[in-house]
Each structure stands twice: as C-alpha cells, then as structure tokens.
C-alpha cells in the first residue's frame, strides 16, 4: 500500500476508500480499529492514519474526540476517534453503493463523548469479519547492503478463522420500529447494534446486540421482547399484508423469526458470565422456546412430538473473546434451548422441529406396518395349522388348499389314486381293442 505524492500525507485512493467504507458502516472508530476492519496485514495504523488525515483535509472526516485503551503490553494509549462529515456520509454511500438516506447520522456526538459502546460494536464487527491480511510487497530501499546482508523476508501472518462478511453486508444502528416508520420510529423502538444481510452467504440475516455489561439482564430481555414485536409487525403494501422486516431484509430460510445474537464484551469471569447468560435465557424463555406439539402416542409407547418455531426468536449468545479467537463459524455459540456450544450453522438449526419428528414418525409407521404384516402372517399360519386333518388313506397330516375340502386325501395319495385309475382305464382300452374283428382275424 504505497503512498501517493498527490496527497499531503501520501495516502492512496484505495486507503481513503477503505477508510470511507469502514466509517460508513461503523460511523465512529479509531485508526487501529479501521486497520483491523480493512487491512490487518499492515504493520501499524500509520497507513490508515495518513488516509484519514488526507480525508480530513478534504473535509470528509473529522476527529471530534479521543478514546483510551490499554494495549497488549499494558500501556494506556490515547487515540483519536474519527467520524464522517455530512459530505463524508455521501461519499461513503457511493463507496458502499447504498442510498444516502440509509447511511444514518455522523455519530459526532458519540465520538465527542468517547464512544465506548460504539467502539465495542466496532470490535465485535472486526471479530465477525476476521478480515484476512493481504500479502504486501516489501518496499524497495536504496542501500549499500550486499545481498548476503539483506534481511530475510518476514514469515507470512497466520490466517484468521473464516469470517462472516463482506464489510458492505453489515450495517450499524439499524432502526427496528415497533411503530412509526424506519425513518421516524415510534418511541420505544429499538436500534440493532449490528445487522448482517447478505443473501447467498449461508446466513442471509443476523441481528446482533452488543452487551458491555452496563445493562442488567432485564434490560436485555426487554430488547428481545422489542425484537419480537418488530418481527411480528405487519404492514399492507399494494393491498397485500406482509411482515414489515421482509420489506427491507431477505426472507429467513428457517422457521421462525430472524436470529438474534448477543455478544457479551466484558470479561467478568466464567461463573459470572454463565450466571448472566442463564438469567437472560430465563427472562426471555417465552420468546425463544417455541410451542411444543405432542402427538397421539399409543399407550405404552414413549411420548413424542415436535416444537413449532414459527413465532420464536432464535436467540444465540457468545463472548467477544471467543468470537475474536475462533471466528463466527467456530463452536462459540450457545443457542438458548440447545445443550452445548455449537457452530453458527448448528446453532441456527432446529433439531427438534417437525422435520426430525416426521422422520421418527415415518420410521414408527413403517415399523407398525411391518408388525401388522407379521401378526397377520402368524394368524394365517395358526389358522392353517388348526384346519388340518389326517389323510384317510395314509393318515399323514393334510393342510387345507384350494380344490378340496376337509377329509380329502393328501396330495400324494390323490396322485397315486389318479395314477392307478389312469392305468386301469388304459388296460380296459387295450382289452377292448384286442376283442374286436381285426383281433379275431389275426388269430385265424
């Protein structure tokens, strides 16, 4: 990512475009966060910082506040927070290929106050994206080093786990109006921290709530309640009633409402985290559990049935630490109602819905048909054995068969009797032929 002589800070058009795209999505971020979102292969945020300063000179971005963090070495660092100007919003809309009306605000006020929550949202997005570092060509410098003294090429950075992207598939602070419109939501509406919508990615729609540990479980539960109210809200368009969310986002291929993922960002220890997650699950049970439908199981058999998730909100949970380490497709998700940590694909599945029940029900039906056929065959065999009689000639057991009634001889005896009768008939025929006119003439 070489520099450019046409800008004071030497940024390239690509660098400036990446900065606009990142801020167009997250609205407020530090140079380091933008680096992790877009170009983690660079050594430090200096490249991004140069792009931001050049954009600042063009009045497309501003830095209205600072943020502090502690780096890996335990050193406290103060960094500039960057956000877009109104003109920068328009430029970012072009980069992201989005209508300007969908870009939201500039987040200037949030940046001025340190943007703690917004920065955690950006960190969460980086963990979801897992942007792979791009290979870079080393800068050729004119030195007097002989080839033997040239530094060895750096080892390639390890690839991150698969992410959920691209960046353009994500939006932040998406209005979810329980009343009013998307432009003017009614009071009590919710703003989703992150929304991923990319048809064809395998996870076409995912809503994400980022929890910094500053809100109690009841507040999180209230948010899930608002999600469900939003998901069930209907509108009439072109004389046809439809769900409001389907007028904006792609249809969910699975039963039920779109999934909602909770990402807990505060490190509070395993026990405290489990307690928090458990309490949220208890308070939101009515929203994610689904409706149990029991079948009419015959007496003596194990009861069976299935869950109907048509009105349920698939609720998932993870921590930022797990998400950053293993990626969104790793076994980092706890799906409320499931019993183990799962991959995203597994967590979004409903193994106890009608599909699995239908397979079990079909297996039971086939087993019942086979058992009925076996019993009918046994009954036919029993009756066949009960209807036997002794052959009047040889006293062997005779089984019923077509063409004769009880008391008849067995098949061998009947065959033997028929054979003897045929032989007797043949002898009589021979005798009749020998006593005729031709027979007497031969004897004269």
């Amino acid at each position: 990512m070489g520099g450019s002589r046409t800008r004071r800070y030497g940024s390239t058009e690509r660098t400036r475009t990446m900065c606009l795209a990142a801020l167009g999505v997250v609205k407020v971020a530090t140079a380091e966060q933008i680096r992790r979102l877009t170009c983690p292969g660079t050594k430090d945020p200096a490249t991004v910082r140069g792009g931001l300063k050049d954009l600042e000179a063009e009045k497309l971005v501003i830095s209205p506040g600072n943020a502090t963090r502690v780096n890996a070495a335990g050193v406290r660092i103060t960094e500039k927070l960057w956000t877009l100007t109104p003109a920068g919003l328009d430029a970012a809309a072009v980069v992201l290929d989005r209508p300007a009306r969908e870009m939201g605000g500039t987040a200037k006020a949030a940046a001025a106050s340190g943007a703690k929550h917004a920065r955690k949202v950006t960190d969460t997005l980086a963990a979801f994206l897992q942007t792979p570092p791009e290979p870079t060509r080393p800068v050729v410098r004119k030195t007097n080093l002989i080839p033997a003294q040239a530094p060895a090429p750096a080892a390639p950075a390890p690839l991150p786990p698969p992410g959920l992207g691209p960046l353009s598939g994500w939006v932040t602070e998406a209005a979810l109006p329980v009343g009013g419109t998307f432009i003017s939501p009614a009071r009590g509406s919710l703003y989703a921290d992150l929304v991923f919508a990319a048809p064809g990615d395998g996870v076409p729609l995912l809503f994400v709530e980022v929890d910094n540990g500053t809100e109690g479980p009841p507040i999180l539960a209230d948010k899930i309640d608002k999600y469900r109210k939003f998901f069930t809200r209907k509108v009439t368009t072109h004389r046809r009633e439809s769900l409001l969310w389907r007028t904006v986002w792609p249809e969910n291929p699975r039963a039920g409402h779109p999934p909602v993922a909770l990402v807990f960002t505060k490190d509070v220890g395993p026990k405290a985290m489990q307690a928090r997650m458990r309490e949220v699950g208890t308070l939101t049970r009515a929203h994610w559990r689904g409706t149990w439908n029991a079948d009419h199981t015959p007496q003596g058999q194990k009861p069976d049935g299935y869950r109907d998730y048509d009105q349920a909100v698939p609720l998932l949970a993870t921590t930022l630490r797990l998400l950053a380490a293993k990626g969104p497709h790793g076994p980092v998700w706890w799906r409320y109602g499931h019993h183990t940590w799962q991959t995203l694909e597994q967590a979004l599945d409903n193994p106890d819905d009608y599909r699995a029940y239908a397979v079990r029900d079909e297996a039971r039906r086939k087993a019942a048909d086979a058992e009925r056929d076996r019993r009918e065959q046994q009954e036919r065999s029993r009756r066949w054995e009960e209807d036997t009689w002794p052959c009047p000639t040889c006293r062997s057991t005779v089984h019923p068969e077509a063409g004769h009634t009880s008391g008849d001889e067995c098949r061998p005896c009947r065959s033997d009797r028929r054979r003897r009768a045929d032989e007797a008939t043949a002898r009589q025929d021979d005798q009749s032929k020998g006593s005729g006119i031709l027979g007497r003439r031969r004897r004269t």
Side-chain angles (χ1 to χ4, degrees):
M1 299 176 67
S4 169
R5 296 180 180 178
T6 61
R7 295 295 191 278
R8 178 180 178 183
Y9 293 96
S11 65
T12 63
E13 181 180 355
R14 183 185 180 195
T15 300
R16 295 191 298 276
T17 298
M18 289 191 302
C19 292
L20 287 173
L23 289 176
V25 173
V26 300
K27 301 304 187 294
V28 57
T30 65
E32 170 60 22
Q33 287 181 315
I34 295 175
R35 184 190 73 84
R36 287 192 283 117
L37 286 175
T38 60
C39 52
T42 56
K43 183 179 179 180
D44 55 49
T47 300
V48 172
R49 195 175 296 115
L52 290 168
K53 288 182 177 180
D54 282 333
L55 289 171
E56 183 181 32
E58 297 175 7
K59 298 183 179 181
L60 296 179
V61 304
I62 58 174
S63 176
N66 297 315
T68 59
R69 66 180 176 90
V70 178
N71 64 12
V75 178
R76 190 177 185 86
I77 298 176
T78 300
E79 301 171 293
K80 281 187 175 183
L81 284 169
W82 296 89
T83 186
L84 296 167
T85 64
L89 273 177
D90 293 337
V94 174
V95 171
L96 294 171
D97 193 23
R98 293 180 185 173
R101 65 179 182 275
E102 296 180 4
M103 293 301 295
T106 61
K108 181 178 178 181
S113 61
K116 286 187 177 181
H117 182 72
R119 283 187 288 134
K120 287 298 183 181
V121 171
T122 302
D123 290 339
T124 301
L125 177 56
F128 267 107
L129 288 176
Q130 297 287 335
T131 306
E134 295 185 6
T136 58
R137 289 180 295 181
V139 178
V140 178
R141 304 183 186 278
K142 294 181 180 181
T143 66
N144 294 324
L145 292 176
I146 61 174
Q149 295 174 318
L159 291 176
L164 190 61
L167 175 65
S168 59
W170 290 88
V171 297
T172 59
E173 292 299 310
L176 310 180
V178 296
T181 65
F182 286 101
I183 302 299
S184 300
R187 178 174 296 181
S189 296
L190 186 67
Y191 287 82
D193 289 329
L194 286 165
V195 180
F196 176 72
D201 192 85
V203 186
L205 187 59
L206 180 66
F207 292 80
V208 180
E209 279 298 311
V210 178
D211 176 62
N212 296 340
T214 58
E215 298 174 335
I219 296 180
L220 285 177
D222 182 64
K223 288 184 178 181
I224 303 305
D225 179 66
K226 290 180 179 179
Y227 268 105
R228 190 174 186 181
K229 288 179 180 178
F230 168 71
F231 290 149
T232 57
R233 185 184 172 188
K234 295 182 179 181
V235 293
T236 301
T237 56
H238 305 293
R239 299 181 180 180
R240 184 177 181 180
E241 190 177 58
S242 61
L243 293 171
L244 178 60
W245 69 265
R246 287 182 178 172
T247 64
V248 176
W249 289 293
E251 185 172 351
N252 186 32
R254 299 175 177 83
H257 301 306
V260 177
L262 300 175
V263 179
F264 298 94
T265 64
K266 187 175 181 180
D267 289 329
V268 295
K271 290 186 178 180
M273 180 59 68
Q274 289 176 8
R276 185 175 180 83
M277 291 173 60
R278 190 180 302 113
E279 186 174 357
V280 171
T282 300
L283 294 173
T284 58
R285 183 183 299 271
H287 301 312
W288 55 257
R289 188 161 180 77
T291 304
W292 178 255
N293 294 274
D295 65 357
H296 302 288
T297 306
Q299 187 176 5
Q301 294 186 14
K302 183 180 179 181
D304 198 5
Y306 63 93
R307 287 200 178 277
D308 184 349
Y309 290 96
D310 285 346
Q311 298 303 316
V313 177
L315 187 60
L316 290 66
T318 190
T319 66
L320 180 56
R321 182 185 292 274
L322 277 175
L323 187 62
K326 299 183 179 181
H329 295 288
V332 302
W333 297 104
W334 184 269
R335 164 78 181 272
Y336 288 100
H338 293 194
H339 306 291
T340 186
W341 293 94
Q342 297 176 309
T343 64
L344 186 57
E345 181 180 2
Q346 293 169 334
L348 292 178
D349 192 23
N350 299 315
D352 57 349
D353 65 2
Y354 184 77
R355 297 169 303 161
Y357 169 78
V359 173
R360 296 193 302 272
D361 190 53
E362 177 66 14
R364 285 192 294 267
R365 188 189 64 78
K366 290 182 178 180
D369 290 345
E371 177 64 17
R372 184 178 62 254
D373 293 344
R374 186 185 66 82
R375 291 182 178 180
E376 289 177 354
Q377 180 61 35
Q378 286 182 335
E379 179 64 18
R380 288 193 295 268
S381 298
R382 184 187 63 80
R383 291 177 179 177
W384 193 60
E385 291 293 340
E386 288 181 350
D387 292 341
T388 59
W389 64 89
C391 175
T393 301
C394 68
R395 309 309 295 174
S396 63
T397 300
V398 182
H399 292 87
E401 60 182 37
H404 65 283
T405 58
S406 177
D408 287 348
E409 292 179 310
C410 64
R411 186 186 297 271
C413 289
R414 289 200 312 273
S415 298
D416 185 61
R417 181 182 295 278
R418 191 179 300 112
R419 180 182 56 77
R420 293 198 302 269
D422 291 342
E423 290 176 351
T425 301
R427 287 195 299 270
Q428 291 177 359
D429 290 343
D430 290 343
Q431 292 175 359
S432 298
K433 291 177 181 179
S435 60
I437 297 176
L438 293 177
R440 289 195 297 271
R441 283 182 179 178
R442 291 189 188 100
R443 291 194 296 269
T444 58

